[in-house]
Every structure is written in C-alpha cells, then in structure tokens.
Amino acid sequence: MAGGNWTRISDFILMSFSSLPTEIQSLLFLVFLIIYLVTLMGNNLIILVTLADPMLHSPMYFFLRNLSFLEVGLNLVIVPKMLRTLLSQDTTISFLGCATQMYFSFFFGVDECFLLATMAYDRYVAICSPLHYPVLMNQRTCTKLAVASWFPGFPVATVQTTWLFSFPFCATNKVNHFFCDSPPVLKLVCADTALFEIYAIVGTILVVMIPCLLILCSYSRIAAAILKIPSARGKRKAFSTCSSHLLVVSLFYVSLSLTYFRPKSNNSPESKKLLSLSYTVVTPMLNPIIYSLRNNEVKNALSRTFHKVLALRIHIL
C-alpha cells in the first residue's frame, strides 16, 4: 500500500516468548508439549467414551462432547505453532496463516461461550425440573441447542477477521504474542481503528456478557432449588454437579473479558500472554479432569470401555 509508512505485509513474525532466555524457552516447550498431549488425549477420550458407552448417552454428556470438540479445535489452531516457535525459533507465519489462525481462534472461543451457557441451562432443567427433564431435553432439543451454540462463531469470526485484515499495516510485522490474536495485530495497523475498537467492545459485551448473564440466571434458579432440598446429602449432590462448571466458567470468562474488553489497553504484553494462556492452553487441559474424570459415571464408563477393548484384543489373538 502506498503512502506514509504503510506497506503490504506478506507475513508476520510471532514474538512469542523470545524475550526469555533459551533455557527457559526449552523448559516452556516441554511444559506446553505435555499440556498439549494431555489436552488432546483427555478431550478425545471423553469424545470416544461418551459416544461408545450407552450409559453416557444423556444431554449432559452430549454437550460435554461438544465442549471437548471445541477444546481440541482451539488447541490445534494455536498450540502447534507455539511449540514450533519455542523449539526451532521458526517465528514466521504467513499473512493468510495469521488470518486463518485468528479466524478459528475467534470461532472456537465464541462458540465455547455460548456452549457453556447451554450447559448451564441443561443443569438448570436437570435440577429444577427433574421429572420433566427427559421430555424437555430430548434429542431434538439438544441438537437445536448445540447448533445454536456453534452458529455464533461464524459471523463473529468472519466480521472481526475480515475487517481487521483489511486495514493497512505499518512497516513492522512483529506480533508481540504467541498467536495471531486481535489486540497485538491491531497495534500494527496504520489507520484510524476507533470504529473497529467500538465494534470489538460491543462484540465482546454481546459474546461474553449475554452468555454470562444466562449462566448467572440459570445458577440463581439452581441455588434457589438447592436451598429447598431438605437433606444435606441431597444439597451436596446437587451442588457437586454444578461446582465444576462454575469453576471453569469463571476462569474462562474472566481471562477472556480482561483480554478483549480493551483491545488497545496499556496492560503489558506479557500479562496479556499469561491471560491468553489461561483460556487457550490451561483450561482445555483442565476441562476433561474437572468435568469428567472426577465423575463416577465417566470412570465406570472408562473401565467398561477398557475391558471391552482388552477382551476384544484377547479374542483376536
């Protein structure tokens, strides 16, 4: 692009954790590689078990399977490039590759916001209307809710990515982040981005706050229902089905809000990277543990699946 300091950029350089010593980067590579493998194994295991075991063919595990799909997708978009950057110092990413990475990170992130709200609604129906739960949350309804949760990612990611990458960029192409996220890429733009920033704030409010309000509304009803349960054991059992979801929701929404509510805030790049790590790397690893591996139904299903596979192998041999 002609004029001033504008230029046509063909690729970007991800600064990632280049400011750290090589030894620390090598350590980070090992840590993130372990987290990445645990995330893929944990979420894929949840997907396979909830599909294979008839005892887990319920709405709760149907939505959990969708969540695992989102977590795997988000990790595949972000983590492999980050690991390659740490290991080989290959920090270059093409213009199209950067736009693609940003598009799918928005897509999976937005969809997770709405899916978490859907999961909260499922818990609300299960606890507040247990007798009507099988009718209200039938297969057709669950499918519609899942589609409604997956859909918002398409328009949000398309508008945000297309608009941002239509701006002219300055001479520098160094993105001070470990993936092509909107705020660090926005800092490279050589144009008036006021309208885009307004859109980003409004979009964040719609994407983050509306599902969050739906979650709060569901849990306020759940809390009222739990308080009416006469036995302490019944209260603990009902609360245990919600506490894990609340923990992950809090971690996900807080870090997401702090990162995107102020796209050009004065927060240090390192603090932004830490916040991004919490919802792009850490939370996807914790979800299978928090949601499922502490659940006796899932543990029993894993045991049954393992014994079936073992018996099949013995029969073949």
Side-chain angles (χ1 to χ4, degrees), residues 143-272:
T143 302
K144 288 181 178 180
L145 288 171
V147 171
S149 300
W150 280 78
F151 175 75
F154 287 106
V156 173
T158 300
V159 173
Q160 181 101 345
T161 306
T162 304
W163 192 352
L164 180 53
F165 279 87
S166 67
F167 283 122
F169 291 93
C170 299
T172 181
N173 62 343
K174 295 181 179 180
V175 179
N176 196 1
H177 212 336
F178 57 85
F179 76 103
C180 286
D181 200 9
S182 178
V185 174
L186 184 63
K187 291 183 178 181
L188 307 182
V189 171
C190 286
D192 183 8
T193 60
L195 187 59
F196 176 84
E197 291 187 62
I198 293 173
Y199 160 79
I201 294 174
V202 173
T204 302
I205 293 173
L206 293 175
V207 168
V208 177
M209 297 307 298
I210 290 179
C212 189
L213 289 174
L214 292 174
I215 291 172
L216 291 174
C217 181
S218 295
Y219 275 106
S220 64
R221 298 287 186 90
I222 289 172
I226 290 177
L227 290 175
K228 293 180 182 178
I229 298 176
S231 67
R233 183 179 179 182
K235 290 180 179 179
R236 285 196 301 269
K237 184 178 179 180
F239 179 74
S240 66
T241 65
C242 308
S243 57
S244 298
H245 183 259
L246 281 172
L247 177 62
V248 174
V249 164
S250 301
L251 177 63
F252 182 80
Y253 275 102
V254 169
S255 58
L256 203 66
S257 300
L258 291 175
T259 302
Y260 294 110
F261 260 121
R262 300 176 62 192
K264 274 192 174 180
S265 66
N266 294 323
N267 293 342
S268 69
E270 302 306 318
S271 64
K272 289 289 186 69

Side-chain angles (χ1 to χ4, degrees), residues 33-207:
L33 177 61
I34 293 172
I35 292 176
Y36 178 60
L37 294 176
V38 171
T39 300
L40 292 184
M41 287 189 295
N43 283 287
N44 280 304
L45 190 61
I46 294 304
I47 293 170
L48 293 175
V49 170
T50 55
L51 282 172
D53 196 300
M55 298 296 291
L56 299 185
H57 290 178
S58 65
M60 175 181 174
Y61 296 108
F62 171 76
F63 293 124
L64 180 60
R65 184 163 63 247
N66 277 264
L67 180 64
S68 291
F69 272 116
L70 291 176
E71 301 290 25
V72 169
L74 185 63
N75 260 247
L76 291 176
V77 168
I78 294 174
V79 180
K81 179 59 181 177
M82 180 179 66
L83 291 175
R84 191 158 56 248
T85 300
L86 289 169
L87 180 65
S88 63
Q89 303 300 313
D90 178 19
T91 60
T92 303
I93 185 171
S94 67
F95 186 92
L96 179 60
C98 187
T100 303
Q101 190 181 55
M102 182 181 293
Y103 179 91
F104 283 104
S105 65
F106 273 121
F107 172 76
F108 290 120
V110 169
D111 288 346
E112 184 162 346
C113 287
F114 285 92
L115 185 61
L116 289 173
T118 300
M119 294 174 74
Y121 174 73
D122 171 67
R123 292 298 83 206
Y124 156 70
V125 178
I127 293 175
C128 297
S129 303
L131 298 180
H132 299 93
Y133 181 69
V135 177
L136 294 175
M137 298 299 291
N138 56 54
Q139 186 175 1
R140 185 177 180 181
T141 301
C142 290
T143 302
K144 288 181 178 180
L145 288 171
V147 171
S149 300
W150 280 78
F151 175 75
F154 287 106
V156 173
T158 300
V159 173
Q160 181 101 345
T161 306
T162 304
W163 192 352
L164 180 53
F165 279 87
S166 67
F167 283 122
F169 291 93
C170 299
T172 181
N173 62 343
K174 295 181 179 180
V175 179
N176 196 1
H177 212 336
F178 57 85
F179 76 103
C180 286
D181 200 9
S182 178
V185 174
L186 184 63
K187 291 183 178 181
L188 307 182
V189 171
C190 286
D192 183 8
T193 60
L195 187 59
F196 176 84
E197 291 187 62
I198 293 173
Y199 160 79
I201 294 174
V202 173
T204 302
I205 293 173
L206 293 175
V207 168

Side-chain angles (χ1 to χ4, degrees), residues 288-306:
I289 300 171
I290 294 175
Y291 279 114
S292 305
L293 300 184
R294 294 171 57 194
N295 186 306
N296 288 329
E297 290 183 347
V298 175
K299 288 180 180 179
N300 294 333
L302 287 171
S303 178
R304 288 192 296 268
T305 303
F306 174 76

